[in-house]
Structure formats: C-alpha cells, structure tokens
Amino acid sequence: MTPLPAPVRWLYSLEWRRGFFDWARSDGVTWIYIFKVLAAAFLTLWLAMRLELPQPRTAMITVFIVMQPQSGHVFAKSFYRFLGTLAGSTVMVALIALFAQYTELFLGALAIWVGLCSAGAQRNRNFRAYGFVLAGYTAAMVGLPALAHPEGAFMAAVWRVLEISLGILCSTLVSAAILPQTSSAAMRNALYQRFGVFAGFVSAGLRGSHPQTAFEAANVGFIAQAVGLEGLRSVTVFEDPHMRRRNGRLNRLNSEFMTLTTRFNALHQLLERLRSRGRVEVLAAIEPGFPSLGELLDDFAGRALTDADAQRLAIRLADYKQGLPERVRSLRASFQQSEPSEADLLDFHTAYELLYRFVEELHSYALTHASLADHHHEREQWDEPYVPKTNWLAASASGIRAAFILIVLGSYWVATAWPSGVTMTLVSAATVGLSAATPNPKRMAFQMACGTLLGAVIGFVEMFFVFPRIDGFPLLCLMLAPVIVLGAFLASRPRYAGIGLGLLIFFSIGSVPDNLTIYNPYSFINDYIGMVLGMLVCAAAGAIILPPNSRWLWRRLEQDLREQVVFAISGKLKGLGSTFESGTRDLLHQAYGLAAGQPKVQSQLLRWMFVVLEVGHAIIELRKEQAILPVHPAYAESQPWRQSIRVMGRALVRLFIQPNASNLERGLVAVDHAISRVQATDEPFARHFDTSALRRVQSYLHFIRTSLLDPQSPLADLGRPQGNPHAP
C-alpha cells in the first residue's frame, strides 16, 4: 500500500488534533469573541444609520460594553445596562426639570447622584454593579450636553434608550446565534470538575499532612471557585431554563461546598496541631479510622463528578456514615486500654466529631448534586442564599471619590467656559463609574486614558485622511475593523483590559461618524484632550482619595473578617451558617485581590480567615445543639454549663473585636471554664458522640480552645497567655 504524503499524515496525526483542540479551547475562544464583536458592532451601526438615530455610535458602544465571550453574561449585562440606562435617564430628566437654569446646582446634584451610583457599584456584585454604573454616567452623558438646550432633554433621553436598546438586541442576537458559548455549560464544567479536585485534596490530607503553602493555595482556589460559581449561577438564570429550574439546588450546592471545606479544614488543622505538639499516642488512636474514607474518595479524585457518580457517591457515603459510630466505639475502647488523659480523650472525641460532621455534609452534597438529574426535586427548596459582604467604608470612599471628581471638573468647566469641558466632565463620570467596581481604579483609569490617547491618534488619521476619501458602508466597516479587532483583543486580556476598553469606547465617541458628520479638527483635538485629562484626573483621584488597595482598607477588611465571629455569636440562627460562610469567604476574596503583590498581607488575611471560620463554625454548631436540646433538667437554661457558654461568647466577642493578650487570656479562661462545667454535668444519655448532646458540646468547646492556641494562628502573635493549664 502506497504511504500517504507527509502533509496528509500530519493532518491525520493525533498530535495535530490535540494541539488544535487546545488552541480552540483557549485562544480560539478569544478569536470567536472578537469575530462576534465585529459582527454585532457593524450590524448595530448599519441599523442605527438606516433608522437615522441621532447618535449611531452610542448603539455601537453598547455592543463593546455588553459583549462577553459567554452568552449568559451578555444577557445579564444587557439586562442591567437597560435598567441602569432607564434609571439614569429618569434622574437626568428630573434634574434638568429642577435645575436647568442653575448650572451649579445641577452639577452638585449630578455629582451626588454619580457618587451614590459609584458607591452602589462598589457595594454590589456581578452585573448588578454595572447597573449602578450605567445609572450614574447615563445621567451625566445625557444631562450635561442637554444643559445648553434643556427643552430637548426628554427626547435626548428617549433617543439614548432606543440606541442602547438596539445595541443590546444586536449583541444578544449575535452572541446567541453565532457559535454560542453558554454560561450554563461553563458552570456545569466548573461544578463537576471542582469536586474532583476537592476529593483529591481531602484524600491526600487524610493520609498525611499538607504542606502549609499548598494547603493555603488550595483554600484560596476553593474560595475563588465558590465566589466565581455564585457569579455564574446568577448569570445562567438569564440564559438556560434548565438551570433556572435548578437555581435553588445550585445555590445549595455552593453553600454545602463552602461548609465542606470548612469542615475538612477544621479536621486538618486539629490533626496538624496534634502533630506539631508530638501527640503520637492520640494520632495513633485517631488515624486508623481515616483510610477507608480516603479510599472511598480516591474513586472520585481528579475527575468530573457526573450526576450518576454523585448518586453512587451518596450510596457509599450513607453506608460509611452508618458504620462510623460503631467504628469509633471500637477505636475508643482500644485507646482507653492505654489509660489516656482527659485531654487526650477530648482530642480523640473532637477529631471524630469533626469527621462525622464532615461525612454528613459530604453525603448531603452528594445527594444535592445527584438531584440535578431531575427537573423537579425536594432539595430545590433552599432559602439560604449566598450573601456577599462589602465594607461600607470602601463603598463610601468610591462614592466620595466620584462626587469629588465631578465637582472639580464641573467647576473647572463652568469657570473657564471651555467648549470641551462638557466632554471632559461627562467622560470623567463614565470613567469613574467603569473603574469603581475594579480592585484598582487608579490603574483602570490610567489604562483607559492610554487607550483613549491611542484612539485619538488613530481616529485623527481616519477622520481627516480616510473617511473623506471612502464611500459606502462596506468601506467604512473595512476601515473600522482593525481598530475594533485591536481593542477587543486587548479587552480580552485582563492585563490590558483598560486599554482595550478605552480604545473601543472613546474611539467610538470621538471618531466614529454619525449620519451627519462634521469634520472639525479643532473640536476633535479639544474633545480628545478633555477626555484624556478627565481620565488622568480620575487616575490621580484613585491614587490619592482613599485608594482601595491601600493599608487602611486591608485593615478594615481584616476587622470585618474578625467581626464575623461576633456575627456567629449574635446573628439569627436561621440561615446563619450559609450567611456566615459566604460572608467570610467574600471578604477574604475581596481582601486577597486588593492585596495583590503583598504576600505577607495576603498570608495574614488568610490566617485570620482560618481562625474565624474555625471558631465561628464551632460557635454556630454549639448554638444549633442548644436549640434542639430535649426537655430535661440537665439542659435547662439555668444550668451552669449553659451560663458559662454565654460568658464565653462575650469573652470571644471582646477578643475578636480587640485582639490583644489580655482578651486572649480571658477568652481561654472562659472556654476552659465552660468545658469544666460541661464535664461536671450529668445527662440521661450514654456519653457517645451520636447520642450525647454534651459530648458534642464538649468537643466543639475543645476545638475552639485548640483554635485559640494554634501556633499558626494570628492570635499566637499576641503573646502566649501565662498560667493557662492547657497551653501547649
């Protein structure tokens, strides 16, 4: 048989196909996105010109802002853009009606509105923040030009809503019709792959110690996944009716996964403390119960967890959980033959209480995952949503910064009567809004200024040397395409996103021709000077006026992290667990991003998160145990052990609000006293962890004590309390 030519053999080779599919999953997705941006932009521009809208470029700018690689993101962003535009246009008409004859009052009211919207953008998450951004700068971009002709303000608002609606329709149509990349598929893939990574992490941890750096890195990854999946979940409801039917279960899965990581971290940290203290006998008694669970999880490690796999996992975990109490009794009987101390028994009981709770949560997670195969399921009933948490000072700082910029630039415009001052002011409103929800608004504003400057150079050449020499829409598209491709490519790269966004948006504002194009180089140059100056002022304000990536905000977020323990002690018990978990992780995710490039700060924040999760979760479990106690004198509210737990709660509140050596010592004394009161109380049930409420209470108290004494905890930096009989 004649061998195939070498080029043909290469086409059929596995290596070529593997390389092609790798490219298609990475850079290929980017080029598909760029092609869709081009198609949507030109379709929108053509329709806007054919419909003779006053500013076709506004419709095209909408495409650049709302287009995303995944269609669900386009739908969500379009929805909030439309709402924000309506709100901003309504406020603008109201302000014009009130202050059309008083420019200074109009600028003051507009600055307050933009400041409130910027604070709202900082306070909210996902594309809800974008709705606030649009509400702010739409009022500025429509209202400021309308000051010269207030009688046309209402029609200007109507035309802007129509132009933006056209851009939204074209964007969603192109995104959904041409090679769609769905958010629901991305979410399913992320959800299924996440458990395989976690199962491998747990299996390895049950067999031995994770290095501290690897343990921290894995937890940062799990936190980012939990926050990211919440964002995807909020997007998929716009796109996929199948995911919308499962919205409650997806919310529940994310909540259960966060609880899972907390449970395992608590167990892992307890074992690490025992290892660091050389408690060989206790470890030898505890560890024989772990290999069977590790072997069970090995079958699911490093692979996607399908619905069928989740059902199989749930069945195996149910069998394991059923046999665990008897296994613990057997191990404890063997351990007691060596006559261990009370402290050693407490460590043994606490370890297996944590293991049992971890297995229980793991079983619940598997059941919820398996239920995704059904359109309707009882586990859909879930009323404990993910609750993000944002520091109000950070949001207020964003609002103050935006209002200050509008007042300064607006005052300069009024004082100098510079014709392009209105452009400078409205562009600064757009820039401060678009950069408000980013971790580094100074960098974003500066990058947008660079992109705008690049757009000015390209735009000058095209406006005065190219556009006058071409005729027809196809040639116009041919001239605009290279600029749009460059801008979209830069916007798809996180490192240069601001440059790409500035090039796309402000090249379109200054250089894309309208139906009636006016070639005025004087006005062109002045407008671009105003745009760049406005953005540079925004960048300077982001660096000077309460910058969000500075030490003051890290400290505030660290304080907010610590105060999550106060929330665990004093918050309403209903839904407390999921709210505590999501709020703590959301705070850490924000702080970790703001402290990028500061590894010591990130490490300190992560250490605080671990101790907060451990202590807070144990307190919530204590509260749940007390809430379901049976009616018996041993469990009465007046019992000394219950009073001592309340005293402990007050001591922990003082410690986490104001951490110092004195408060740490008071907290440890209160915990020790509570443990001794529980030990001294008789109850009508056998002291097994599956039958005795006080045994479980004692285990949680002991775990709180070990967390406070952890040498890796930031509390250890306060100094070791003197005279504590349980200090290692």
Side-chain angles (χ1 to χ4, degrees):
M1 184 176 179
T2 305
L4 293 172
V8 177
R9 291 200 307 272
W10 178 76
L11 285 173
Y12 282 95
S13 68
L14 180 63
E15 181 181 354
W16 180 87
R17 284 181 288 172
R18 184 183 294 118
F20 173 77
F21 287 120
D22 287 342
W23 176 86
R25 285 191 294 267
S26 54
D27 289 343
V29 173
T30 300
W31 286 106
I32 290 172
Y33 161 71
I34 292 172
F35 170 75
K36 289 161 75 170
V37 169
L38 276 175
F42 292 151
L43 174 62
T44 303
L45 185 61
W46 180 78
L47 286 173
M49 287 182 166
R50 291 290 294 176
L51 295 171
E52 296 187 359
L53 297 179
Q55 291 186 319
R57 58 192 177 192
T58 300
M60 190 169 74
I61 289 169
T62 298
V63 173
F64 299 143
I65 292 178
V66 304
M67 278 298 284
Q68 300 287 316
Q70 295 169 350
S71 57
H73 288 79
V74 176
F75 298 152
K77 201 167 186 180
S78 298
F79 175 75
Y80 287 112
R81 178 173 176 82
F82 184 74
L83 291 183
T85 301
L86 283 180
S89 299
T90 302
V91 169
M92 181 277 299
V93 171
L95 293 180
I96 287 287
L98 292 171
F99 306 119
Q101 306 301 320
Y102 308 97
T103 303
E104 294 80 2
L105 292 178
F106 177 85
L107 287 173
L110 182 64
I112 293 172
W113 172 250
V114 172
L116 290 173
C117 290
S118 296
Q122 178 72 21
R123 185 77 175 171
N124 285 270
R125 289 287 184 275
N126 304 323
F127 294 122
R128 288 191 297 274
Y130 184 63
F132 280 93
V133 170
L134 260 294
Y137 81 68
T138 295
M141 297 194 78
V142 180
L144 289 172
L147 273 178
H149 303 283
E151 69 280 359
F154 178 77
M155 286 308 301
V158 171
W159 283 121
R160 183 169 181 85
V161 171
L162 291 175
E163 290 157 357
I164 285 174
S165 299
L166 178 63
I168 287 172
L169 287 174
C170 293
S171 300
T172 53
L173 176 65
V174 170
S175 179
I178 301 177
L179 299 173
Q181 303 287 324
T182 63
S183 302
S184 54
M187 181 168 187
R188 278 192 292 268
N189 182 62
L191 186 68
Y192 292 175
Q193 295 291 341
R194 176 177 70 172
F195 185 81
V197 175
F198 180 70
F201 176 72
V202 172
S203 180
L206 292 174
R207 290 183 170 91
S209 173
H210 281 298
Q212 187 64 23
T213 54
F215 180 76
E216 292 181 357
N219 274 280
V220 170
F222 293 142
I223 291 168
Q225 288 172 350
V227 176
L229 275 171
E230 170 59 21
L232 277 176
R233 185 197 61 78
S234 66
V235 164
T236 55
V237 298
F238 290 93
E239 174 190 62
D240 190 341
H242 295 284
M243 301 301 277
R244 194 155 51 244
R245 288 177 177 176
R246 294 159 175 78
N247 187 50
R249 280 169 282 175
L250 294 172
N251 198 340
R252 181 173 188 152
L253 267 179
N254 213 23
S255 178
E256 289 174 340
F257 182 79
M258 290 187 289
T259 305
L260 268 181
T261 57
T262 299
R263 297 282 193 191
F264 179 72
N265 288 346
L267 177 61
H268 180 271
Q269 295 294 79
L270 177 65
L271 296 176
E272 283 298 291
R273 290 166 200 146
L274 293 175
R275 291 186 183 106
S276 66
R277 291 157 57 188
R279 307 291 289 277
V280 180
E281 298 83 1
V282 182
L283 287 169
I286 293 172
E287 289 177 342
F290 294 165
S292 55
L293 179 59
E295 292 167 5
L296 188 157
L297 291 174
D298 281 341
D299 293 341
F300 304 91
R303 50 175 289 191
L305 184 72
T306 64
D307 299 340
D309 288 336
Q311 184 64 42
R312 186 162 55 91
L313 174 63
I315 293 171
R316 295 179 63 178
L317 283 170
D319 293 338
Y320 178 86
K321 186 171 70 169
Q322 186 176 5
L324 184 59
E326 188 58 39
R327 175 68 171 158
V328 172
R329 293 186 184 110
S330 173
L331 289 171
R332 186 177 62 191
S334 300
F335 185 42
Q336 285 179 325
Q337 291 178 1
S338 62
E339 299 183 355
S341 65
E342 186 65 30
D344 289 345
L345 274 175
L346 263 178
D347 287 327
F348 179 91
H349 292 145
T350 302
Y352 274 103
E353 174 65 24
L354 293 172
L355 178 66
Y356 185 83
R357 296 301 180 192
F358 172 70
V359 172
E360 194 172 46
E361 294 290 346
L362 193 58
H363 181 237
S364 179
Y365 180 90
L367 289 174
T368 306
H369 193 125
S371 73
L372 294 176
D374 301 325
H375 284 317
H376 303 283
H377 198 278
E378 61 183 1
R379 298 185 80 83
E380 182 69 20
Q381 306 305 315
W382 182 256
D383 59 351
E384 298 182 17
Y386 182 100
V387 181
K389 193 173 181 65
T390 307
N391 185 275
W392 68 271
L393 276 178
S396 300
S398 180
I400 292 169
R401 195 181 309 120
F404 176 80
I405 290 169
L406 262 292
I407 289 174
V408 169
L409 294 184
S411 300
Y412 178 80
W413 167 44
V414 171
T416 61
W418 181 29
S420 294
V422 64
T423 302
M424 176 181 66
T425 307
L426 65 87
V427 165
S428 68
T431 303
V432 77
L434 290 169
S435 62
T438 62
N440 193 338
K442 174 194 68 175
R443 183 172 179 268
M444 173 60 79
F446 182 75
Q447 282 196 346
M448 290 175 69
C450 294
T452 302
L453 186 60
L454 177 60
V457 175
I458 299 172
F460 186 85
V461 174
E462 295 212 349
M463 177 66 77
F464 299 107
F465 296 97
V466 177
F467 293 159
R469 300 176 184 275
I470 63 174
D471 185 27
F473 188 76
L475 285 177
L476 175 63
C477 293
L478 185 63
M479 294 299 100
L480 293 177
V483 184
I484 296 174
V485 168
L486 175 61
F489 179 79
L490 291 173
S492 68
R493 295 293 187 263
R495 188 174 179 181
Y496 305 108
I499 298 175
L501 196 62
L503 175 59
L504 287 172
I505 294 176
F506 298 103
F507 170 82
S508 300
I509 288 177
S511 305
V512 172
D514 289 326
N515 276 323
L516 179 61
T517 303
I518 300 173
Y519 295 97
N520 184 343
Y522 175 81
S523 176
F524 180 94
I525 294 172
N526 267 273
D527 284 347
Y528 268 110
I529 290 174
M531 291 183 197
V532 174
L533 282 177
M535 293 175 188
L536 291 177
V537 170
C538 291
I544 297 170
I545 304 174
L546 301 174
N549 58 342
S550 58
R551 186 177 298 276
W552 74 272
L553 185 55
W554 301 338
R555 289 177 175 172
R556 288 296 309 178
L557 289 173
E558 180 187 298
Q559 182 177 338
D560 287 349
L561 267 177
R562 297 198 309 267
E563 289 178 357
Q564 285 292 97
V565 174
V566 181
F567 174 65
I569 293 171
S570 59
K572 286 186 177 180
L573 194 56
K574 180 177 172 56
L576 180 61
S578 59
T579 305
F580 169 80
E581 293 278 358
S582 58
T584 304
R585 283 169 172 78
D586 195 70
L587 282 168
L588 190 278
H589 185 68
Q590 292 175 66
Y592 210 82
L594 291 171
Q598 301 282 341
K600 290 184 178 179
V601 175
Q602 289 180 324
S603 177
Q604 180 74 355
L605 289 167
L606 200 59
R607 291 166 65 203
W608 271 118
M609 187 207 69
F610 284 134
V611 71
V612 164
L613 281 177
E614 290 172 8
V615 174
H617 210 278
I619 288 169
I620 292 171
E621 291 300 324
L622 276 173
R623 293 183 61 187
K624 288 180 178 178
E625 287 289 347
Q626 294 179 81
I628 59 173
L629 287 172
V631 178
H632 189 274
Y635 306 131
E637 285 277 353
S638 59
Q639 280 287 334
W641 70 269
R642 297 198 68 171
Q643 295 179 15
S644 65
I645 288 178
R646 289 193 287 271
V647 172
M648 178 197 73
R650 291 192 290 270
L652 291 178
V653 166
R654 286 194 296 270
L655 170 61
F656 281 89
I657 288 178
Q658 188 176 2
N660 55 48
S662 176
N663 284 337
L664 176 59
E665 184 171 6
R666 289 192 187 96
L668 285 167
V669 169
V671 175
D672 288 337
H673 180 67
I675 291 173
S676 66
R677 291 299 87 203
V678 172
Q679 289 173 331
T681 304
D682 293 326
E683 65 176 330
F685 302 105
R687 281 292 180 110
H688 302 307
F689 76 90
D690 56 330
T691 59
S692 168
L694 292 185
R695 169 60 53 78
R696 294 191 293 271
V697 167
Q698 191 174 343
S699 293
Y700 287 122
L701 290 171
H702 178 65
F703 182 70
I704 291 173
R705 180 179 60 187
T706 61
S707 297
L708 299 180
L709 291 170
D710 185 1
Q712 299 297 324
S713 162
L715 294 173
D717 299 336
L718 304 177
R720 183 64 59 201
Q722 300 297 319
N724 191 303
H726 302 291

